[in-house]
Amino acid sequence: MIVVLSRGISTHDKEMVRIYLHDRGFSVREQSFGDDAIIGASGKGVVDIRELSILPGVERVAATSKPYELASRETKSEDTIVTVGASASQMGVQIGGSRITVIAGPCAVESREQIMETAALVRESGAVMLRGGAYKPRTSPYSFQGLGIEGLEYMKAAGEAYGMPIVTEVVSPDLAVQMQDLTDMFQIGARNMQNYELLKKVGSLGKPVLLKRGPSATIEEWLLSAEYLLASGTKDVVLCERGIRTFETYTRNTLDISAIPVVKDLSHLPVIVDPSHAVGIRAKVAPASLAAIAAGAAGLTLEVHPRPDEALSDGPQSLYPEQFEKLMRDIEALSPVVGKELLRTPRPHHWTAARVRAGQGAAGVPEGGSPGPGSEASDAGGETGMVVFSGVRGAFAEQALMRAFGDDAPRLAVSGFPAVFDAVLDGSAVAGIVPVENSLAGSVHENYDLFLRYPDISIVGELKLRVMHCLIAHERADIDSISIVRSHPQGFAQCKEFLDKHPDWTLEPCNNTAVAVESIAREGAIKVAAIAGEAAARAFNLKVLREGIETNPLNYTRFVIISRRVGERAPVPPSLGSDKPNKASLVFSVPDEPGSLFACLKILSERGINLSKLESRPIQGQPWEYMFYVDVSIPETEELFKQTIEELKAKTENFHFLGMYRASL
Ligand code: PEP
Ligand code: MN
């Protein structure tokens, strides 16, 4: 804090200001600033700024640090990731970091049937948490006030039935105690944001809290309310922007989109958005939701009702189930653009082989046997849930891995793709992640070829990552000091236009983009730069000289998740396998005779099976003979798919079923 003193302040008054600050716990230092005399006060003192500013001889007072501490980014620089609903039997849902978490449900729990029906349909569309009010703070005392504890019991049952943690509003400190065993997360409603007794009680219970922003609260007041919760005992607070009061009356409130980047700067706590209460009009909820995601929100909480026209509260802003389904698809398409992934199912903390063998989904040839207890896939990697990637810290593959398995997934970095396959095969890792295709530079042939060399490895999932490249160099370097650039050849290919503007630079290929960054950190040379992702610059404390240098911003890399087959099937990580597989990858060669490839494609086309990729690769050691790599959609009827595969096997040679999995958009 800085206290600017008036020019003519007497020695006595100056001393009084010093004593005032000192008595309130500050250390004090007097300084001149041009013609002004100022007193700098630092430390953990507490002062009423208004009282200080009217002391004789005080011209002005300026605060230099944040009034909230536990919620502040200055106190904790890395993002807080809040886990809701974790228990011995449930893995919990995470909010924050690189995921988009969607909470959905009705405004109010109206009956057991209504909350069960809503839970089923929002879960089906991809929501991972269930919302619903049992105690409704309504503007009018004559409106429906909620079913109370009975409603909460229905909601708990619905959450359990559909595997979704629940969040519900708490309106009084006494109720907080009664509700604590029935909910996974407390919601503090907008009207109660400054109910400090409620904040203190709820905070002391230690459960995660969703803190709505008050309709007339400044960002600072909102963060101070978060501070109350944190200071009372909980460490898991999620902030929720839900619109503020302005002079505009067309929408129910005004969604303060700018609050999202502002809060993310000021605080480490995740911030989500409630577009339903912000706009209050059903038709405006979807565009506001997408804007929130684009602005950096960590998730959304949305009101959805099976029959909004019959809803007992907030019907006009509740989405129809089909609107919610469409919105979820749009969010899924938008998420990679902002470098995030829509969380579709609760992610495991540790994906263990034991859990995998407990029978989560199934991949492999459709007629395959089930993984029996006698199967041999148990080992060190299985026990720790280790996932393997090629590269070093900050590599794009590591980003993809964290997206698929969670930021805290135990991971093993190896050098080169064959080492990834080896680690999965010998059990040092329970799964691996490898790139197979880039939208600008094409296929990663090495990995396609490895699938043939490792027939016991199967594809169990896929993931698309937006690739944003930066030119990264040593702290002391600048663009003019650079004469050598290192990257993976794909990095050079994807930044061709940028590199063409610097024809004098020497390009040195490396195994991996992040390895290029690591080499600069190790050598400390100012003439070398690397092309890699921003995460790699952060991992090695280097400087980003230019960002977004890829030729085309629509630059995505498709990664596949691989695991070892057990019998005929490969285990599927629970995070990827709970939805029915809708895509399969096959490899085959065809007899050397006219029309043989056509005959295979005809089998697919006659059954309406979509072909999303067809690529040929030379067969090693057999010049001018090729293997075809084919990605197909899986039809709804399992029987039809089985028949198709059988017919394809009959028409082809060297048929390999690489795996079936859920397609990423
Ligand atoms: C709610 O989420 O049901 C609710 C009442 O929201 P708010 O407190 O933001 O008005
Ligand atoms: Mn509501």
Side-chain angles (χ1 to χ4, degrees):
M1 186 169 49
I2 290 171
V3 183
V4 182
L5 305 173
S6 23
R7 295 251 163 105
I9 187 169
S10 66
T11 320
H12 171 263
D13 287 347
K14 200 187 284 181
E15 195 50 29
M16 293 311 284
V17 174
R18 275 174 164 284
I19 292 169
Y20 180 93
L21 289 167
H22 188 263
D23 287 353
R24 281 158 185 77
F26 290 97
S27 28
V28 180
R29 204 155 67 105
E30 197 186 326
Q31 262 178 299
S32 323
F33 194 76
D35 290 341
D36 287 326
I38 59 172
I39 289 183
S42 57
K44 289 205 170 176
V46 180
V47 72
D48 183 337
I49 301 242
R50 286 165 309 165
E51 201 175 88
L52 174 62
S53 41
I54 55 172
L55 289 184
V58 172
E59 182 82 27
R60 230 165 343 106
V61 180
T64 52
S65 62
K66 313 268 179 333
Y68 43 87
E69 195 179 325
L70 300 173
S72 160
R73 206 29 99 205
E74 285 164 16
T75 310
K76 178 172 181 269
S77 62
E78 70 278 16
D79 288 345
T80 285
I81 294 169
V82 170
T83 302
V84 185
S87 67
S89 59
Q90 246 192 340
M91 285 171 296
V93 165
Q94 293 188 314
I95 307 177
S98 61
R99 58 190 68 68
I100 304 278
T101 308
V102 176
I103 307 170
C107 178
V109 182
E110 298 168 4
S111 66
R112 191 183 171 88
E113 295 68 40
Q114 174 249 16
I115 191 70
M116 281 289 174
E117 187 182 356
T118 316
L121 58 90
V122 298
R123 178 71 190 80
E124 179 68 26
S125 298
V128 288
M129 273 183 68
L130 182 66
R131 61 146 286 145
Y135 295 90
K136 295 304 302 175
R138 305 301 298 277
T139 309
S140 160
Y142 308 116
S143 302
F144 175 62
Q145 304 284 308
L147 296 182
I149 285 288
E150 188 192 346
L152 189 49
E153 277 163 359
Y154 297 154
M155 196 167 147
K156 180 171 158 55
E160 278 167 7
Y162 292 96
M164 286 186 284
I166 61 171
V167 55
T168 195
E169 177 161 359
V170 55
V171 291
S172 80
D174 292 347
L175 281 171
V177 178
Q178 284 182 42
M179 289 163 72
Q180 62 176 328
D181 293 332
L182 292 171
T183 190
D184 299 297
M185 183 181 215
F186 283 115
Q187 176 172 317
I188 302 285
R191 292 158 195 80
N192 270 318
M193 189 205 85
Q194 285 177 311
N195 181 340
Y196 299 120
E197 288 312 309
L198 179 64
L199 294 174
K200 282 193 266 183
K201 186 74 214 177
V202 169
S204 74
L205 299 176
K207 282 212 163 216
V209 185
L210 182 68
L211 177 65
K212 294 275 193 103
R213 178 179 181 184
S216 308
T218 63
I219 288 173
E220 186 162 301
E221 286 162 345
W222 185 20
L223 291 174
L224 277 164
S225 291
E227 189 77 9
Y228 261 95
L229 290 166
L230 296 168
S232 314
T234 183
K235 49 181 187 14
D236 293 322
V237 176
V238 175
L239 300 164
C240 179
E241 160 62 42
R242 45 77 72 203
I244 49 173
R245 277 277 161 91
T246 66
F247 51 81
E248 179 53 62
T249 55
Y250 189 84
T251 50
R252 185 173 175 181
N253 291 285
T254 297
L255 176 58
D256 184 5
I257 286 281
S258 47
I260 305 163
V262 170
V263 167
K264 283 177 67 171
D265 228 26
L266 296 174
S267 176
H268 53 86
L269 298 172
V271 51
I272 70 163
V273 168
D274 171 352
S276 308
H277 291 88
V279 298
I281 311 165
R282 184 181 306 131
K284 307 289 179 275
V285 168
S289 301
L290 297 175
I293 299 300
L300 300 168
T301 173
L302 290 155
E303 286 187 345
V304 182
H305 195 286
R307 288 163 296 281
D309 312 308
E310 295 169 20
L312 297 183
S313 69
D314 283 347
Q317 70 192 31
S318 300
L319 295 177
Y320 285 98
E322 52 278 18
Q323 288 178 310
F324 178 62
E325 164 74 23
K326 160 79 169 62
L327 175 58
M328 288 300 282
R329 295 173 70 84
D330 290 345
I331 295 169
E332 187 157 20
L334 175 62
S335 305
V337 177
V338 289
K340 292 186 182 159
E341 180 91 2
L342 175 67
L343 185 58
R344 274 211 175 261
T345 46
R347 296 218 188 277
H349 291 307
H350 296 291
W351 175 44
T352 65
R355 219 178 242 161
V356 169
R357 264 187 273 121
Q360 301 277 345
V365 288
E367 71 275 28
S370 61
S375 62
E376 77 288 21
S378 171
D379 24 57
E383 247 106 76
T384 54
M386 192 69 83
V387 189
V388 58
F389 70 101
S390 168
V392 291
R393 272 183 302 139
F396 287 113
E398 189 191 37
Q399 299 287 106
L401 184 158
M402 287 157 74
R403 204 67 65 70
F405 294 91
D407 297 355
D408 48 2
R411 43 198 183 266
L412 177 68
V414 294
S415 174
F417 300 132
V420 174
F421 281 71
D422 282 337
V424 175
L425 193 64
D426 72 18
S428 17
V430 72
I433 192 155
V434 288
V436 286
E437 189 177 4
N438 174 266
S439 57
L440 296 180
S443 290
V444 184
H445 292 130
E446 183 180 356
N447 284 324
Y448 277 103
D449 294 343
L450 283 169
F451 280 111
L452 294 186
R453 278 179 40 207
Y454 290 80
D456 289 334
I457 298 286
S458 179
I459 302 177
V460 295
E462 73 168 0
L463 186 118
K464 282 182 196 137
L465 187 82
R466 179 170 171 200
V467 175
M468 282 179 275
H469 281 301
C470 300
L471 187 73
I472 297 163
H474 194 270
E475 195 56 51
R476 288 179 286 107
D478 61 37
I479 197 97
D480 298 323
S481 70
I482 302 303
S483 59
I484 297 169
V485 181
R486 291 183 191 148
S487 189
H488 186 274
Q490 287 247 357
F492 294 140
Q494 291 165 26
C495 301
K496 186 172 179 312
E497 272 182 22
F498 174 78
L499 290 171
D500 283 350
K501 289 186 203 139
H502 301 277
D504 48 323
W505 287 353
T506 307
L507 305 185
E508 290 184 1
C510 296
N511 250 346
N512 177 280
T513 55
V515 166
V517 177
E518 186 192 34
S519 73
I520 296 171
R522 205 177 41 238
E523 294 162 15
I526 63 157
K527 61 175 185 180
V528 193
I531 290 178
E534 198 209 336
R538 260 188 280 119
F540 293 100
N541 274 327
L542 293 180
K543 184 165 80 174
V544 171
L545 290 179
R546 292 282 185 278
E547 56 184 349
I549 58 167
E550 64 277 9
T551 303
N552 187 329
L554 297 177
N555 185 9
Y556 297 90
T557 294
R558 189 161 74 92
F559 287 85
V560 293
I561 291 150
I562 58 174
S563 116
R564 183 165 56 157
R565 284 184 208 272
V566 183
E568 287 288 86
R569 294 175 181 225
V572 183
S575 64
L576 302 160
S578 64
D579 289 324
K580 214 170 145 219
N582 59 359
K583 183 172 177 183
S585 295
L586 323 168
V587 189
F588 51 75
S589 59
V590 292
D592 187 12
E593 60 194 36
S596 59
L597 178 61
F598 173 75
C600 295
L601 301 183
K602 192 159 161 268
I603 294 172
L604 299 173
S605 118
E606 277 171 354
R607 283 162 185 76
I609 294 178
N610 188 38
L611 186 78
S612 54
K613 179 169 174 134
L614 173 65
E615 166 137 7
S616 64
R617 295 281 307 137
I619 303 178
Q620 284 175 17
Q622 299 178 39
W624 323 123
E625 289 189 32
Y626 298 88
M627 293 298 275
F628 292 99
Y629 286 76
V630 179
D631 286 350
V632 294
S633 63
I634 298 181
E636 272 300 310
T637 14
E638 220 171 283
E639 204 42 46
L640 178 67
F641 189 54
K642 280 186 188 172
Q643 277 172 16
T644 312
I645 297 295
E646 286 313 315
E647 283 187 42
L648 277 176
K649 278 185 182 168
K651 289 258 183 266
T652 57
E653 292 167 354
N654 304 311
F655 185 93
H656 298 262
F657 192 91
L658 295 188
M660 58 182 187
Y661 47 92
R662 194 82 198 158
S664 149
L665 277 182

